[in-house]
Amino acid sequence: MTRIAVVGGGVAGFGVALSVGDDAEVTVFERTERVGGRAATHERDDCVYDVGANYVKSDDERVSRVIRDLDDGLVETEGPVWTFDADGEISEGRDEETPKWTFRDGIGTLGKRLCEASDATVRTDTRISGLRRDEAWYVEDADGGEYGPWDALVLTPPAPITASLLDLAEWEGDVRRELREHVGHVPYRPILTVALHYSFEIERPYYALVNADKDHEVGWLSRESCKPGHVPDGESLLVVQMAPDWSASRYEDDDFDIATDVADRTADLLSKHPLAAPDWYDVIRWRDALPNGGADKNVLRQGAASDLFFAGDWVAGEGRVHRALASGLETGDDLRD
């Protein structure tokens, strides 16, 4: 049976495994203890809150079908997404007919469910640091362990990490150099996300606010109480994603300073002074959070002649979890073909 190695245990990696199905033996290598990538959830004081992807939705019927099949604990986020501008002026958004899915236990459940559905072999806490191409592919972890041979290799980490792996790969030829240069030029931006908890309810006619003109320090703000099972009655928890430039300038700052500034800006945006003093906070750093653009798929396809494939939001060209999943499914189709 064909043996496939997938580097990266995010939704794209499991999309590959799902699409390939029983046609191959798939092993997924994930550098952290958990799968799912930016589909991540934290828990504290009976609160469940999504700190990366806020939800998953799609107008792609195939992606929607995959998500609906993971129906154990699947819930819909209640309320629309409104917008605000650089001056903090809030406006109604457009009505959304597409469901915004998460799980009662948080969006982090998505990676677990996809992992279970894919039936792939998963090696967590395994950071792949080296690649070697002989007659087949071999991968090496940070401790010097080597795995292989593999008939095909799929790289799904963020573009900067993928470029580093290609740069160090033991694989001679112009294709490696061209792929490394091209992938290395896909721009990524960091994001600081801050969760703010309050012992009182925050009533608003919307689930979330998004900065439409990209000219405010706050990029996105959401109310976790709009997700069934996430926040106890009588409490509120806001998840605030800061703009990329602000995040980059404050990335190394102390958590307290970041949270204090974010709480002040949140209070100003929502015109509610008590929001400047949350009961507790949680600061999450995403260094390679979102791509500013995508790779040229025609360039990436050059790797197929050497059984090398790519998947992820940077391949799709949009930093959305459903785009990453769609990219994985499409790459799995290419492998199967």
Side-chain angles (χ1 to χ4, degrees):
M1 179 176 286
T2 301
R3 302 180 74 238
I4 300 171
V6 177
V7 178
V11 297
F14 289 112
V16 172
L18 273 173
S19 180
V20 170
D22 296 332
D23 293 337
E25 177 185 313
V26 180
T27 298
V28 177
F29 295 90
E30 168 55 40
R31 65 183 179 86
T32 67
E33 295 179 351
R34 53 168 290 273
V35 296
R38 285 192 302 105
T41 301
H42 286 190
E43 297 182 22
R44 178 171 172 177
D45 294 348
D46 297 324
C47 291
V48 174
Y49 50 104
D50 298 325
V51 298
N54 299 102
Y55 53 79
V56 56
K57 70 171 186 175
S58 181
D59 52 8
D60 182 315
E61 179 53 36
R62 185 182 186 188
V63 171
S64 297
R65 186 169 62 251
V66 168
I67 299 299
R68 286 194 297 266
D69 286 345
L70 309 174
D71 61 355
D72 185 15
L74 192 68
V75 296
E76 289 188 28
T77 302
E78 302 166 355
V81 176
W82 285 17
T83 64
F84 64 97
D85 61 20
D87 297 323
E89 195 69 32
I90 297 174
S91 304
E92 285 193 43
R94 292 177 296 181
D95 291 335
E96 295 179 311
E97 296 181 0
T98 306
K100 301 184 290 292
W101 289 302
T102 183
F103 291 82
R104 187 167 291 275
D105 293 333
I107 196 70
T109 303
L110 177 62
K112 300 174 187 176
R113 294 283 188 272
L114 290 172
C115 176
E116 294 165 358
S118 72
D119 202 30
T121 299
V122 182
R123 296 187 63 96
T124 56
D125 280 323
T126 307
R127 183 169 69 86
I128 297 303
S129 58
L131 311 175
R132 178 166 65 86
R133 172 70 179 173
D134 197 349
E135 294 182 356
W137 282 103
Y138 297 82
V139 300
E140 182 179 310
D141 65 26
D143 296 323
E146 188 174 75
Y147 309 86
W150 308 101
D151 300 302
L153 173 65
V154 185
L155 300 179
T156 73
I161 298 175
T162 295
S164 295
L165 287 171
L166 290 171
D167 190 38
L168 299 173
E170 297 181 34
W171 175 32
E172 296 300 323
D174 294 336
V175 172
R176 181 190 66 82
R177 288 188 288 272
E178 184 174 353
L179 286 171
R180 185 261 173 268
E181 182 175 355
H182 181 69
V183 174
H185 280 89
V186 176
Y188 258 74
R189 56 190 187 270
I191 293 292
L192 285 172
T193 297
V194 181
L196 304 170
H197 178 269
Y198 305 93
S199 59
F200 52 85
E201 293 184 351
I202 302 172
E203 295 293 342
R204 290 292 189 276
Y206 47 79
Y207 150 64
L209 298 174
V210 60
N211 180 214
D213 57 18
K214 311 295 184 185
D215 202 22
H216 195 283
E217 290 84 357
V218 175
W220 170 277
L221 181 151
S222 62
R223 301 166 55 223
E224 285 295 302
S225 57
C226 293
K227 299 174 179 177
H230 279 220
V231 181
D233 292 341
E235 302 177 19
S236 297
L237 195 152
L238 302 179
V239 175
V240 187
Q241 292 187 3
M242 302 305 288
D245 288 346
W246 193 95
S247 296
S249 68
R250 302 293 300 274
Y251 198 85
E252 302 298 336
D253 287 4
D254 179 81
D255 282 5
F256 176 79
D257 293 336
I258 291 172
T260 299
D261 197 348
V262 170
D264 286 341
R265 295 178 187 277
T266 299
D268 288 342
L269 179 61
L270 298 186
S271 301
K272 192 174 179 67
H273 177 71
L275 298 181
D279 300 315
W280 53 261
Y281 61 83
D282 185 10
V283 177
I284 302 94
R285 292 169 171 80
W286 298 99
R287 184 171 296 280
D288 296 315
L290 299 170
N292 279 338
D296 185 333
K297 292 185 180 180
N298 290 324
V299 175
L300 298 184
R301 288 191 186 102
Q302 296 182 64
S306 300
D307 303 309
L308 175 64
F309 299 83
F310 305 88
D313 55 7
W314 61 274
V315 177
E318 185 179 3
R320 299 291 185 88
V321 66
H322 64 278
R323 296 297 185 204
L325 178 54
S327 173
L329 294 170
E330 292 168 5
T331 299
D333 291 344
D334 293 340
L335 278 160
R336 203 173 58 250
D337 291 342

